[in-house]
Amino acid sequence: MSTEKINLNISGMTCVNCSNGIEKFLNKQKGIINTKVSFAAHEGLFEIDKQLYSKDKLIQNIEKLGYKVEEDIKHLEEQEKKTFAKIKKLFFISMTLAITIFIFAFSNLLDISIKTYAIFILASIVQFYCGARFYNLAFKAIINKNYDMNVLVALGTSAAYFYSSTVLFFPFLFPENLRFMYFDGAAVIITFMLLGRYLEENSKQKAGDFLKKLISLAPQNANLVKEDNSIEIIQANLLKIGNKVLVKTGEKIPADGVIIDGNADIDTSMITGESLPLFKKTNDEVLSGTLNTNGVITIKVLKESSDTTLSKIITLLKSAQSKQIPISRFADKIANIFVPTVIIISILTFLVWGIVIGDFQNAIIASISVLIISCPCALGLATPIAIVSSVSRGAKEGILIKNPEILEQIKDIKYAVFDKTGTLTKGNIKVTKTDIEKKYFKTIGYIENLSEHPISKAIVSFVENQKITCNEQIDKVEIIPGHGIKAIFEEQEFILGNKKLLEDNNITILAEHLDFYEKELEKSNGLILVSIGKKTIGSFSLEDEIKEDAKEVIENLKKMNITPILLTGDNKITASKVAQELNIEKVYAQVIPTEKYDVIKELQKESKVMFIGDGINDAPSIKQADIGITLNSGSDISKDAGDIVLINNELKSVIKSINLSVESMRIVKQNLFWAFAYNILGIPLAAGVLFPFFGVMLSPMYAGIAMSFSSVTVVLNSLRLKVKRL
């Protein structure tokens, strides 16, 4: 079987039932393996068997359901704007006509017969012009056996409209006491439904505005510097790795690259959350989408447009907004069985009032009211709109939530496990001392230059500062994660690493090197021993600073009853020194990556575990932990493994991530409460259970108002996340 994953932008969905309907229809098609449609992100992710199904057929079937597929994200935005403008126009027309109907109905401006026919004409415009979208979507929903809220609206308002029309044109069919007309009620219901749609669309667009801002950050053009130093303006997405690009003051950086000439103040706030512009000079790296606020620079392109940090963030954000958390899947299931249940309740209500009690007027009012008040759009909106707001707020804070499922788990975290180098410390490691003779530096530089580890970079930097270049070919190299490097050069074996690596290779520290090693071990942040053959030649003493916000983060975690743990490959003395400074009681030192993974698994037997790291060797632990957090400064592999990426590299964002998750789940639960509360209280009220006791009967008009406000409530509640203090 040859499979293909397809990502499509879909416009025209008005609520979560639309996305459910598309999924349900496509899942029945032979050749469709997996379908996931997000109403909130206007997006569908599909997996097809290419031998049985095609992308064209997929698009054709989606459009057959009444929605549009937009290949271009900008076109999708334009379509969404058009949809929003159309709903706004229909709402204001409907509102104007509904008010006019009320003025006619409750005044003596016109003769009674003229007034009745005028109301009929105005109500017909509202019903079949302003309310046409509900008929259209309800018809398609019924064909596809997906009984969504549009079916309820169409049924409810049609019942009121056609009953009133029959009374108007064929009054002799009804006894005197049943000749009532509900044109005003049907018109008001459609008006409020459109108001709900208008407010939803408006709020939804605001909830996802950060993603739109990010997309708009991507520069369209670039000043390509040609070989003869002339400038050609080309599309930014056509830039290739190695191209030189001139970036003037006020222009956005068109690609991820490195400055090769000039310097400038770069505003990175939209990518990293850094509030002040950063001064960047030659050899500093710059990111696509950031703004050159002062200066002229020439950069060399390091990544193509599809691979830039900005494009990766946008892709991850879109993906995160498309995902569901377990509680939302529960809500969707309820919403799907809700409509048929409500239709049955409406029929029973009519039969009880009409046949059992014998009151056909109340039978009509109550059964229509049940249909109208029960629309499950608030239920469907409750979680997706909260997730969109949460992911959007996180991104604004420099917190990229890749996997929204962790929003539900973070409240149960008991252990927060930290890697040391680059996570709790700055990772800006320097060699402070060495007892190794200078004649060995060149070979050591050759070997360490083959590793990307911060310690290797520090040693290479130290060697290069001795005016020695480190670009010689090494015969054989083996990098041992968590320990060091073994290499063969000119038929000699070199081992560079921690004490355990040397012990594993039966090498002991020679007496002439032991004194330096033991003294430095107590005051440095670590040592790298070096041996040739079976003899040590000395060691490098290393220094690394603890991050400014590390202590505050550890204290805050303790206040949240979360136990901080230090998990590092460094020796016990260095690990204990860092742990003491940060007031961390539980420490695992001298552990290799596979042992880190085992520690995480062991801790998970007790409770949920969060792991915060940045290196390639942390990736298995990040993936295994219930919540994996990685820093943007870390490796691409660790970023792929993480549930959350801290774009701003600030440790305090760990606390913000926890607070954001807790607030998000609180909002989701509040939303579900309000959505259920409206329906649980509204349906019996609409069915007329209070009438025998208090004479209270909910008219279809007020049922429509209540239903619309249930959607507005959950949307406005979700938008609180945008201003919540984290």
Side-chain angles (χ1 to χ4, degrees):
M1 182 170 64
S2 176
T3 62
E4 182 183 1
K5 288 186 177 176
I6 300 170
N7 189 349
L8 296 175
N9 301 312
I10 302 170
S11 64
M13 293 188 285
T14 56
C15 76
V16 75
N17 284 290
C18 297
S19 55
N20 288 342
I22 297 172
E23 282 184 13
K24 195 183 280 186
F25 177 78
L26 290 176
N27 280 333
K28 292 176 189 168
Q29 306 291 309
K30 195 174 180 183
I32 297 255
I33 300 166
N34 194 21
T35 304
K36 190 68 234 163
V37 181
S38 167
F39 156 66
H42 305 289
E43 191 179 55
L45 301 171
F46 309 93
E47 189 176 2
I48 62 170
D49 180 347
K50 287 201 289 185
Q51 291 167 337
L52 300 173
Y53 214 77
S54 67
K55 185 178 177 182
D56 289 343
K57 196 173 176 183
L58 180 66
I59 294 172
Q60 196 181 13
N61 273 327
I62 292 171
E63 294 188 337
K64 189 177 146 189
L65 294 172
Y67 308 100
K68 283 190 176 177
V69 173
E70 311 292 349
E71 298 279 355
D72 184 358
I73 188 76
K74 285 189 177 175
H75 195 238
L76 172 70
E77 286 176 17
E78 285 171 11
Q79 287 302 315
E80 291 303 318
K81 280 181 186 172
K82 281 182 185 174
T83 302
F84 177 62
K86 190 175 178 183
I87 290 174
K88 187 178 174 182
K89 184 181 86 173
L90 289 175
F91 162 65
F92 280 107
I93 291 173
S94 187
M95 183 180 67
T96 306
L97 296 179
I99 291 171
T100 310
I101 288 170
F102 264 79
I103 292 172
F104 284 166
F106 295 101
S107 71
N108 296 317
L109 293 175
L110 298 171
D111 179 75
I112 183 69
S113 58
I114 296 173
K115 188 168 71 176
T116 306
Y117 284 106
I119 289 173
F120 166 72
I121 292 168
L122 296 177
S124 300
I125 297 171
V126 174
Q127 190 75 30
F128 301 112
Y129 175 67
C130 300
R133 60 184 289 108
F134 299 114
Y135 281 110
N136 186 30
L137 292 170
F139 177 69
K140 285 167 181 164
I142 291 170
I143 286 178
N144 296 306
K145 296 180 182 176
N146 175 45
Y147 307 106
D148 65 12
M149 58 161 293
N150 296 299
V151 177
L152 289 181
V153 176
L155 274 178
T157 58
S158 294
Y161 175 84
F162 286 110
Y163 178 85
S164 305
S165 300
T166 310
V167 169
L168 176 63
F169 292 104
F170 308 102
F172 52 87
L173 293 176
F174 301 89
E176 192 76 33
N177 64 341
L178 286 181
R179 292 177 188 171
F180 291 97
M181 286 180 269
Y182 302 104
F183 289 123
D184 51 352
V188 170
I189 289 164
I190 288 175
T191 302
F192 272 96
M193 288 299 304
L194 289 170
L195 171 63
R197 289 280 189 277
Y198 167 67
L199 293 175
E200 278 174 26
E201 282 296 323
N202 193 28
S203 304
K204 200 170 69 179
Q205 288 192 9
K206 284 182 181 173
D209 56 0
F210 187 75
L211 179 59
K212 288 174 189 167
K213 281 181 188 172
L214 276 182
I215 292 171
S216 71
L217 275 182
Q220 300 299 309
N221 298 315
N223 304 313
L224 178 69
V225 182
K226 298 168 76 173
E227 287 186 2
D228 60 357
N229 285 330
S230 63
I231 303 292
E232 181 187 358
I233 298 175
I234 66 167
Q235 289 181 13
N237 59 7
L238 297 178
L239 287 173
K240 301 290 179 193
I241 294 172
N243 280 166
K244 292 179 185 176
V245 178
L246 181 71
V247 186
K248 302 171 189 170
T249 301
E251 288 183 340
K252 290 175 185 171
I253 313 284
D256 285 6
V258 60
I259 298 176
I260 55 174
D261 186 34
N263 51 59
D265 292 320
I266 308 293
D267 180 358
T268 63
S269 56
M270 283 298 286
I271 305 288
T272 65
E274 181 71 42
S275 55
L276 295 174
L278 300 172
F279 179 73
K280 299 275 184 179
K281 57 186 186 308
T282 306
N283 293 328
D284 284 345
E285 291 190 8
V286 288
L287 299 177
S288 171
T290 54
L291 181 68
N292 178 3
T293 61
N294 182 23
V296 179
I297 52 175
T298 303
I299 66 165
K300 186 168 83 174
V301 176
L302 295 178
K303 292 178 182 173
E304 294 190 4
S305 63
S306 59
D307 197 33
T308 62
T309 302
L310 177 62
S311 66
K312 282 181 180 173
I313 292 172
I314 291 170
T315 304
L316 287 172
L317 266 177
K318 286 171 71 179
S319 171
Q321 290 192 350
S322 305
K323 291 181 180 175
Q324 288 186 308
I325 56 179
I327 199 168
S328 71
R329 285 193 277 273
F330 166 74
D332 286 353
K333 281 181 186 173
I334 297 288
N336 271 327
I337 60 171
F338 199 72
V339 174
T341 307
V342 166
I343 291 173
I344 292 170
I345 293 173
S346 176
I347 292 169
L348 289 175
T349 301
F350 181 83
L351 293 176
V352 169
W353 276 105
I355 308 297
V356 179
I357 301 174
D359 187 338
F360 280 96
Q361 186 182 345
N362 277 346
I364 293 166
I365 293 172
S367 57
I368 292 173
S369 295
V370 167
L371 287 176
I372 297 300
I373 206 168
S374 307
C375 290
C377 44
L379 190 61
L381 270 176
T383 49
I385 202 75
I387 291 173
V388 170
S389 292
S390 177
V391 172
S392 180
R393 173 65 193 275
K396 197 174 178 183
E397 295 285 343
I399 302 165
L400 183 57
I401 301 172
K402 288 170 57 189
N403 178 16
E405 283 196 16
I406 55 96
L407 294 173
E408 262 193 275
Q409 298 182 32
I410 226 162
K411 67 180 187 313
D412 301 321
I413 289 295
K414 185 178 177 186
Y415 297 114
V417 185
F418 290 87
D419 166 53
K420 185 180 76 67
T421 306
T423 303
L424 287 174
T425 65
K426 291 181 178 176
N428 188 18
I429 301 170
K430 292 176 185 171
V431 174
T432 53
K433 259 185 176 180
T434 182
D435 60 342
I436 298 173
E437 290 181 48
K438 195 172 180 180
K439 64 179 180 182
Y440 296 116
F441 286 177
K442 198 170 190 177
T443 309
I444 290 170
Y446 295 162
I447 297 167
E448 293 287 10
N449 205 21
L450 297 171
S451 170
E452 286 296 305
H453 194 281
I455 291 176
S456 297
K457 287 182 178 176
I459 293 174
V460 170
S461 175
F462 173 79
V463 171
E464 286 179 339
N465 285 339
Q466 315 295 317
K467 309 294 179 190
I468 298 170
T469 53
C470 306
N471 54 5
E472 188 74 21
Q473 187 70 35
I474 298 296
D475 301 330
K476 187 179 175 185
V477 174
E478 182 187 0
I479 294 173
I480 302 147
H483 287 304
I485 304 176
K486 288 169 75 175
I488 304 291
F489 183 70
E490 294 179 349
E491 298 181 354
Q492 284 187 305
E493 185 184 60
F494 286 76
I495 299 177
L496 304 89
N498 56 22
K499 192 179 176 188
K500 189 170 187 307
L501 179 63
L502 270 72
E503 287 172 350
D504 290 345
N505 287 274
N506 300 318
I507 297 167
T508 52
I509 305 172
L510 296 180
E512 59 260 41
H513 304 131
L514 195 58
D515 184 51
F516 176 85
Y517 178 83
E518 287 180 345
K519 280 182 181 172
E520 288 300 314
L521 197 57
E522 290 178 5
K523 56 186 181 185
S524 74
N525 286 109
L527 281 114
I528 293 296
L529 285 155
V530 182
S531 69
I532 300 175
K534 292 294 178 185
K535 293 180 180 177
T536 54
I537 58 170
S539 55
F540 291 103
S541 179
L542 306 169
E543 183 184 77
D544 190 11
E545 285 180 64
I546 291 175
K547 288 182 177 173
E548 289 84 1
D549 54 355
K551 197 164 186 177
E552 184 187 345
V553 169
I554 300 299
E555 283 174 7
N556 282 326
L557 285 171
K558 287 182 175 178
K559 285 177 188 169
M560 294 173 171
N561 291 320
I562 296 172
T563 306
I565 295 174
L566 177 60
L567 183 61
T568 176
D570 275 356
N571 62 70
K572 289 178 183 174
I573 295 175
T574 305
S576 299
K577 189 181 162 195
V578 172
Q580 272 182 358
E581 283 187 49
L582 295 174
N583 203 17
I584 297 175
E585 285 88 14
K586 203 165 187 176
V587 180
Y588 294 85
Q590 254 174 290
V591 284
I592 60 174
T594 51
E595 289 170 340
K596 281 187 175 182
Y597 175 85
D598 291 339
V599 169
I600 298 293
K601 283 189 82 173
E602 199 59 33
L603 290 170
Q604 282 177 312
K605 289 178 183 173
E606 295 179 44
S607 188
K608 302 274 185 191
V609 177
M610 172 190 283
F611 183 83
I612 305 102
D614 69 330
I616 294 173
N617 58 355
D618 293 327
S621 304
I622 291 171
K623 196 74 183 169
Q624 173 59 30
D626 298 285
I627 295 157
I629 298 183
T630 183
L631 306 179
N632 194 44
S633 56
S635 68
D636 286 345
I637 294 174
S638 67
K639 280 187 273 189
D640 284 344
D643 299 302
I644 294 175
V645 180
L646 304 182
I647 301 294
N648 52 19
N649 294 315
E650 291 180 356
L651 267 186
K652 63 185 177 187
S653 293
V654 171
I655 303 297
K656 286 188 177 181
S657 301
I658 296 172
N659 290 337
L660 178 63
S661 300
V662 170
E663 286 298 332
S664 299
M665 283 313 299
R666 189 174 291 150
I667 295 276
V668 166
K669 286 175 183 173
Q670 287 170 352
N671 283 352
L672 289 173
F673 168 79
W674 283 112
F676 278 118
Y678 270 106
N679 286 320
I680 289 170
L681 294 175
I683 291 175
L685 193 64
V689 294
L690 295 182
F691 188 79
F693 309 103
F694 305 105
V696 176
M697 197 75 192
L698 190 70
S699 81
M701 181 177 74
Y702 290 111
I705 294 170
M707 196 287 304
S708 297
F709 273 97
S710 65
S711 295
V712 174
T713 302
V714 300
V715 169
L716 293 180
N717 194 40
S718 302
L719 290 180
R720 288 196 302 122
L721 274 172
K722 291 171 73 71
V723 294
K724 199 85 183 172
R725 189 173 179 183
L726 299 177

